[in-house]
Amino acid sequence: MPRPAVATVGPVRVVGTGLLGASLGLALSAAGVDVQLEDASPSAVALGRDMGAGRPATPDSPAPRLVVVATPPDVAGPTVLAQLRAHPGAVVTDVASVKARVAHHVERHGGDDAARYVGSHPMAGRERSGAAAADADLFVGRPWVIVPGPRSTPDAVLAVRSLAVDVGAAPTTLGAQEHDDAVALVSHLPQLAASMVAARLRDAPETALGLAGQGLRDVTRIAASDPQLWAAILVGNAGPVARALRALREDVDTALAALERAAADGPLTEGAAGPLARVVAAGNTGVARIPGKHGGAPRRYAEVSVLVPDQPGELGRLFGEVGEAGVNIEDLHLEHSAGQPVGLAILSVDPAAASRLEAELDRRGWRLVASGRAEA
Amino acid sequence: MPRPAVATVGPVRVVGTGLLGASLGLALSAAGVDVQLEDASPSAVALGRDMGAGRPATPDSPAPRLVVVATPPDVAGPTVLAQLRAHPGAVVTDVASVKARVAHHVERHGGDDAARYVGSHPMAGRERSGAAAADADLFVGRPWVIVPGPRSTPDAVLAVRSLAVDVGAAPTTLGAQEHDDAVALVSHLPQLAASMVAARLRDAPETALGLAGQGLRDVTRIAASDPQLWAAILVGNAGPVARALRALREDVDTALAALERAAADGPLTEGAAGPLARVVAAGNTGVARIPGKHGGAPRRYAEVSVLVPDQPGELGRLFGEVGEAGVNIEDLHLEHSAGQPVGLAILSVDPAAASRLEAELDRRGWRLVASGRAEA
């Protein structure tokens, strides 16, 4: 494959060779950019080097043009400051997932150096951490939020934007507080809610867990995330997350009052069903605002649902035949229940192609199911 | 296709020809069972008949052997009682998704007739309702909870169990309260939490929604459910849902206190990170108990992640080639972000086949990504 042209000019200093830092190093090195690796742990630097993420930085290394601080979030601010001072010709960015604290730190203590700082939040990651999990394609197709400070120069912003584009990410610009408020709603609150729903399963009887369906699996998937990392993220964005959680608690109190009324006086009690219906209806309104695959308002795809025997090759055969029918799958879900010999593949396709696909799959002997995934 | 042998002996009377009733009628009629349709709405009966779900019940219809009450949940109890009295030779079941209330009603008012009543909860459904959405395969591969009362005869239990098996479901037996406690945890609480997280998005700025990733989409998918139906389910199971929600509120209060400490005194304040890490860790423990695809403890599959250009046929081509490689896909997720030209297909496969599959896909020119789906 020809090496893609990149706009980033090296040397690039990567400070912190964990998952994000090493992945950046891999992607830039693969594009021919000179990458210098720095980490408090010499063995982390050696691992990054051995993986091909760059060369260890030494006192004799040439001055970097761009520094990427990829340390744990709680030391990002001081590390950015130290790098601004150590490399007076370099643009400095950091990749911490909470931005206002780092930005305030640089504003307050950075003096004129703050002109060379631009914050970043590449919205990519993995369930494992460390350089050993690094991947040159980690950022491909992911949003990369760029957070210029009030004093960032246009050149500094351009350098960080180019970095994002060079590693395959889609840059988007937000203010620091705007970013932190946004991730509180779209990332941090969902994490807490998923964890709290999953926590209720700790002491549930086996028989209850046997009834788990796709709804529970979806709601709790991210509950498997790393507690220490998440505690650092949550305390780092404490204000916005607290605001979102306080609003959620109001809904909890509303629902609880309605449920307690129904439990005491029966389901037809005044003030029982109404508030609960309003909580669910508010969720309808909110979820409808999540953009669809191609951005903008959610596009309605037609769903084609097919029963798939749980045997080697059956799902592959299905998708092969959908491909032969010339239909693009825009999204898909696979559903199954414990101990069942069949699964349900739900294909989202262009509404204009749905009935043709159904006819074609039917002709080929697949069992079609009218779509839908409620489980009540 | 040869007609499968069924154990259910007709006539079967289906009372309430909505989604579940009409789907049952379709499945049984297709198997050659005589189905009688009854509904408060004559046009609903006509629609069921026209779809092939059975014949309208008349005063001259032969006495049913089995009655399935598929009315809205709030009238299930009285309807079961009326059917027990109207058809003294029939076994009667109902399909309401909350069981203790119906069971108590029959116990209290049914007298000796209670021996012929057995509760059911087929865990199948759809986002649309009504006979028009009915499907003979709705129950295939789904759990069907059987809830015998203290006086149900073995013959009555067997008749309902046979019904479940005949329509392709997997029967499992629970007590009424045990069932209701279980669905509060695995279905009703997740629904409320998803709705409450989604509700926070109502007034979020567009820029925030543009950062929505797979985590948010998964957590809020079921927030699109019907408010009226869910209000009826939640008030019908008010006691167990209130218990689960009170426990969740304790976690909310713990997290909120920690966040407010961090917001006031900084992220390193004593008592800030610790409680938040414990909330996330408790979620780790809970989510690990959800059974995997084949029941029992969750099985670890290897994940193979592949970048898929968002072009017609690409996903089909991928799955076709996985099939050609002879590898069975045990589970899969498709990830994408708004406005991105590529998606990420994450295939769960037998760990023994993973490296062979990766080598084969690499050889065919696919871009592989080391797996993982965190987004922090």
Side-chain angles (χ1 to χ4, degrees):
Chain A
M1 211 161 63
R3 175 177 287 180
V6 293
T8 296
V9 179
V12 173
R13 173 77 56 109
V14 173
V15 182
T17 56
L19 172 68
L20 290 181
S23 295
L24 264 177
L26 282 175
L28 292 171
S29 297
V33 176
D34 180 19
V35 177
Q36 305 167 349
L37 303 177
E38 184 179 328
D39 197 292
S41 153
S43 63
V45 169
L47 178 57
R49 177 199 60 203
D50 293 350
M51 293 186 68
R55 299 177 297 156
T58 70
D60 302 330
S61 294
R65 303 279 298 265
L66 175 65
V67 177
V68 182
V69 171
T71 60
D74 47 347
V75 295
T79 308
V80 165
L81 271 191
Q83 294 292 323
L84 284 168
R85 284 172 193 151
H87 307 292
V91 169
V92 177
T93 189
D94 74 299
V95 300
S97 57
V98 179
K99 303 275 37 125
R101 284 186 60 80
V102 183
H104 291 159
H105 195 82
V106 175
E107 269 306 294
R108 190 174 313 154
H109 304 293
D112 290 342
D113 289 341
R116 294 182 285 114
Y117 169 71
V118 177
S120 287
H121 180 197
M123 300 192 72
R126 305 185 54 196
E127 275 143 12
R128 279 172 295 158
S129 57
D135 194 297
D137 286 327
L138 189 72
F139 307 98
V140 175
R142 298 289 190 173
W144 182 307
V145 185
I146 303 208
V147 184
R151 305 166 65 182
S152 306
T153 65
D155 281 358
V157 175
L158 183 62
V160 176
R161 197 176 175 82
S162 299
L163 173 70
V165 171
D166 286 344
V167 299
T172 180
T173 301
L174 291 178
Q177 197 56 55
E178 194 185 5
H179 167 275
D180 290 359
D181 289 344
V183 292
L185 292 181
V186 306
S187 171
H188 304 173
L189 184 70
Q191 175 64 51
L192 276 173
S195 296
M196 291 174 185
V197 170
R200 307 281 81 73
L201 305 175
R202 278 173 306 173
D203 304 315
E206 290 291 334
T207 45
L209 294 159
L211 300 184
Q214 197 60 36
L216 179 70
R217 288 186 168 81
D218 283 352
V219 170
T220 59
R221 182 178 63 77
I222 58 174
S225 302
D226 179 15
Q228 241 190 302
L229 171 67
W230 271 97
I233 292 169
L234 294 166
V235 295
N237 199 24
V241 179
R243 258 196 307 286
L245 194 57
R246 270 194 297 270
L248 182 139
R249 189 174 60 173
E250 282 180 30
D251 279 359
V252 169
D253 288 341
T254 300
L256 207 42
L259 289 165
E260 284 168 350
R261 234 170 265 139
D265 300 326
L268 302 182
T269 312
E270 191 176 338
L276 292 165
R278 280 193 291 277
V279 165
V280 178
N284 288 177
T285 308
V287 74
R289 295 194 65 212
I290 299 177
K293 185 175 178 185
H294 296 280
R299 179 176 159 194
R300 300 298 288 175
Y301 292 109
E303 290 192 342
V304 175
S305 300
V306 189
L307 290 174
V308 182
D310 185 22
Q311 286 161 18
E314 284 299 293
L315 200 59
R317 186 165 71 83
L318 171 65
F319 287 104
E321 298 191 0
V322 173
E324 285 167 28
V327 175
N328 190 28
I329 299 172
E330 299 289 344
D331 202 354
L332 59 86
H333 286 274
L334 191 65
E335 287 186 13
H336 42 67
S337 296
Q340 297 316 304
V342 294
L344 189 65
I346 301 162
L347 318 176
S348 295
V349 301
D350 183 346
S355 53
R356 180 168 60 82
L357 178 62
E358 287 185 333
E360 181 63 24
L361 291 177
D362 187 58
R363 196 182 65 74
R364 290 170 180 247
W366 292 97
R367 260 176 103 178
L368 298 168
V369 181
S371 262
R373 281 168 280 122
E375 280 154 27
Chain B
M1 212 160 64
R3 174 178 287 179
V6 294
T8 296
V9 179
V12 172
R13 173 78 57 106
V14 173
V15 182
T17 57
L19 171 67
L20 291 181
S23 294
L24 264 177
L26 283 174
L28 292 172
S29 296
V33 176
D34 180 20
V35 177
Q36 306 168 350
L37 303 177
E38 184 177 327
D39 196 291
S41 152
S43 64
V45 169
L47 178 56
R49 176 199 61 204
D50 293 350
M51 293 186 67
R55 300 177 296 156
T58 69
D60 301 330
S61 294
R65 302 280 297 265
L66 174 65
V67 178
V68 181
V69 172
T71 60
D74 48 346
V75 295
T79 309
V80 165
L81 271 191
Q83 293 292 323
L84 284 167
R85 284 171 193 149
H87 306 292
V91 168
V92 177
T93 188
D94 73 300
V95 300
S97 57
V98 179
K99 302 272 43 121
R101 285 187 59 82
V102 183
H104 291 158
H105 195 83
V106 175
E107 269 305 295
R108 191 174 312 154
H109 305 292
D112 291 342
D113 289 342
R116 292 183 286 116
Y117 169 71
V118 176
S120 286
H121 180 197
M123 300 193 73
R126 304 185 51 195
E127 276 142 12
R128 281 173 294 159
S129 57
D135 194 299
D137 286 327
L138 189 72
F139 307 98
V140 175
R142 299 288 190 173
W144 182 307
V145 185
I146 304 209
V147 184
R151 304 167 66 182
S152 306
T153 65
D155 281 358
V157 175
L158 183 63
V160 176
R161 195 176 176 83
S162 298
L163 172 70
V165 171
D166 285 345
V167 299
T172 181
T173 301
L174 291 179
Q177 198 56 55
E178 192 184 6
H179 166 275
D180 289 359
D181 290 344
V183 293
L185 292 181
V186 305
S187 171
H188 304 173
L189 183 70
Q191 175 64 51
L192 277 172
S195 297
M196 291 174 185
V197 170
R200 308 281 80 74
L201 304 175
R202 278 173 306 173
D203 305 315
E206 291 291 334
T207 46
L209 294 159
L211 301 184
Q214 198 59 36
L216 179 70
R217 288 186 168 82
D218 283 352
V219 170
T220 59
R221 182 177 62 78
I222 57 173
S225 302
D226 178 14
Q228 241 190 303
L229 171 67
W230 271 97
I233 292 169
L234 294 167
V235 295
N237 198 23
V241 179
R243 258 196 307 284
L245 193 57
R246 270 193 298 269
L248 183 139
R249 188 173 62 175
E250 283 180 30
D251 279 359
V252 169
D253 288 342
T254 300
L256 207 43
L259 289 165
E260 283 168 350
R261 235 170 265 141
D265 300 326
L268 302 182
T269 312
E270 191 176 339
L276 292 165
R278 280 192 290 278
V279 165
V280 178
N284 288 178
T285 308
V287 74
R289 294 194 67 211
I290 300 176
K293 185 174 178 186
H294 296 281
R299 178 175 160 194
R300 301 299 286 177
Y301 292 110
E303 290 191 342
V304 174
S305 299
V306 189
L307 289 174
V308 183
D310 186 21
Q311 285 160 17
E314 284 299 292
L315 200 59
R317 186 166 70 84
L318 171 64
F319 287 103
E321 298 191 1
V322 173
E324 286 168 26
V327 175
N328 191 28
I329 298 171
E330 298 290 344
D331 202 353
L332 59 87
H333 287 275
L334 191 66
E335 287 185 15
H336 42 65
S337 295
Q340 298 314 305
V342 293
L344 187 65
I346 300 163
L347 319 177
S348 296
V349 301
D350 184 343
S355 52
R356 180 166 62 79
L357 178 62
E358 287 185 334
E360 180 63 23
L361 292 177
D362 186 58
R363 195 182 66 74
R364 291 169 179 249
W366 292 97
R367 259 176 104 179
L368 299 169
V369 181
S371 262
R373 280 169 280 122
E375 280 154 25

